[in-house]
Amino acid sequence: MGVHILSTGSSVPNFSVENQQFEDIIETSDHWISTRTGIKKRHLATSSISLTKLAAEAATKALNQANINPEDLDLIILATSTPDDLFGSASQLQAEIGATKSTAFDITAACSGFIIALVTASQFIKSGSYNTILVVGADTMSRWIDWSDRTTCILFGDGAGAVVVGKSSVNSILGFKLCTDGRLNSHLQLMNSPLTSQKFGSTAVPKGKYDYIKMNGKEVYKFAVFQVPAVIKTCLNDLNLSIDEVDWFILHQANTRILEAIANRLSIPFSKMITNLENYGNTSAASIPLALDEAIKDNKIQPGQIVVLSGFGAGLTWGAIVLRWH
Ligand code: UT7
């Protein structure tokens, strides 16, 4: 049973913020941000834009492109760590796009979310359980940023990216590997840190309240530069493919220096790395499908080419998928 990526779509909020605008609120500079991260601007969801709306926009574009009616979807998987509803926003997305016959659930895995969601979708198709699945990676990290913390606030942007996958005689997903190391969890967290306590009788029962994103940038940087090339190599070895046979690498867009270091470690030209960090910053679960959608629209990725997707981030989690584009 083949798993075919039928179409892609993406969406970002209209409101964008240039690096210079941070100079007014924190001690930073356009020069520091662009040379240390590669980011020039990011899009932020204002109060009228919900995570569900962004996800629905990306999803609708992907469905239209594949000429698929929302009612024909069997399953929706929404990868997000910033749902509008803590119980999950996939149901809201299902209602928003009118996919009345599909089941829907969320996957929470921050910047690795889209990779995990796409692998999950492919397993449902391979097992014959479902025929047509919408996979969306969407995050509104701006809702969880401490705007006075210069080590994180300049990095993130909001967005959504979607793919429709279907059962097919051609197979797009050749292989994958997913990894987790929970011992490194404290390097990147958005913790539930109850400030107020409620009482059940005389027993304190804390009231849930999530704090801000906290990251040990140096540790996450080192982890990404070491683990991502390793997981890509393992995936390719398992498929008897050499690194030179890969046409494009679409990695989580966290930092251009990370992408350069990974390209060096893999001994590949940087021109094979698809990057759009400059315009969007780190959009967490949206970054890979957003970059994939742009690369397809720009006619970079051609039928028959081999594409490696790789995500990494909170958990810490990381993983890679090898695609043959059809
Ligand atoms: O999506 C999840 C995955 N996330 C990532 O992959 C992020 C990985 N980490 C990174 O991308 C980088 O570590 C950062 C971009 C977060 C930081 O870059 P860095 O080169 O590792 O900087 P640093 O933390 O070593 O800081 C260097 C200096 C420090 O000053 P001192 O101690 O040398 O005086 C920081 O306080 O830069 C300072 N700094 C800033 N200066 C101006 C930190 N943030 C800023 C800032 N503007 N925004």
Side-chain angles (χ1 to χ4, degrees), residues 129-142:
S129 308
Y130 295 121
N131 293 336
T132 314
I133 304 178
L134 171 70
V135 180
V136 182
D139 266 313
T140 45
M141 297 301 273
S142 66

Side-chain angles (χ1 to χ4, degrees), residues 28 32 36 111 150 217-218 220 252 254-255 257-258 282 312:
T28 191
W32 193 95
R36 293 287 185 130
C111 308
R150 69 176 183 170
K218 270 194 194 319
V220 179
H252 169 50
N255 186 324
R257 289 190 298 133
I258 292 180
N282 179 343
F312 55 89

Side-chain angles (χ1 to χ4, degrees), residues 85-306:
D85 180 342
L86 191 57
F87 292 158
S89 282
S91 313
Q92 295 169 315
L93 173 60
Q94 183 238 31
E96 184 80 19
I97 63 172
T100 47
K101 294 185 185 130
S102 77
T103 188
F105 60 80
D106 289 38
I107 281 183
T108 308
C111 308
S112 303
F114 179 77
I115 295 288
I116 297 174
L118 185 55
V119 168
T120 306
S122 75
Q123 301 309 299
F124 275 117
I125 288 181
K126 279 191 172 164
S127 69
S129 308
Y130 295 121
N131 293 336
T132 314
I133 304 178
L134 171 70
V135 180
V136 182
D139 266 313
T140 45
M141 297 301 273
S142 66
R143 306 278 204 253
W144 300 100
I145 276 168
D146 173 356
W147 294 104
S148 66
D149 176 4
R150 69 176 183 170
T151 66
T152 52
C153 75
I154 49 104
L155 297 172
F156 295 96
D158 302 331
V163 298
V164 179
V165 291
K167 180 178 83 172
S168 168
S169 53
V170 293
N171 186 35
S172 304
I173 300 183
L174 305 181
F176 69 88
K177 187 162 173 62
L178 302 176
C179 312
T180 302
D181 189 344
R183 292 167 302 179
L184 305 178
N185 179 258
S186 62
H187 292 327
L188 180 48
Q189 290 180 317
L190 208 174
M191 287 298 284
N192 187 356
S193 59
L195 296 175
T196 49
S197 71
Q198 314 174 93
K199 289 221 162 151
F200 181 81
S202 57
T203 308
V205 182
K207 159 130 185 33
K209 189 177 190 307
Y210 284 88
D211 205 0
Y212 299 113
I213 295 166
K214 300 230 168 64
M215 178 169 70
N216 182 337
K218 270 194 194 319
E219 288 302 326
V220 179
Y221 188 107
K222 279 192 284 185
F223 143 80
V225 167
F226 179 72
Q227 294 293 3
V228 174
V231 77
I232 291 174
K233 281 181 186 164
T234 305
C235 251
L236 292 171
N237 279 345
D238 290 350
L239 292 164
N240 279 325
L241 285 169
S242 74
I243 198 85
D244 297 331
E245 287 176 271
V246 181
D247 296 287
W248 299 105
F249 294 81
I250 306 183
L251 275 43
H252 169 50
Q253 307 284 302
N255 186 324
T256 307
R257 289 190 298 133
I258 292 180
L259 301 181
E260 284 167 352
I262 292 172
N264 271 339
R265 279 189 177 239
L266 291 174
S267 305
I268 55 149
F270 190 68
S271 55
K272 282 191 176 186
M273 285 274 180
I274 286 174
T275 62
N276 63 7
L277 258 165
E278 193 176 324
N279 296 322
Y280 305 110
N282 179 343
T283 56
S284 189
S287 89
I288 293 171
L290 191 54
L292 176 66
D293 184 46
E294 283 196 345
I296 300 294
K297 304 269 149 61
D298 293 345
N299 286 321
K300 278 188 176 160
I301 301 176
Q302 296 296 320
Q305 289 190 326
I306 301 281

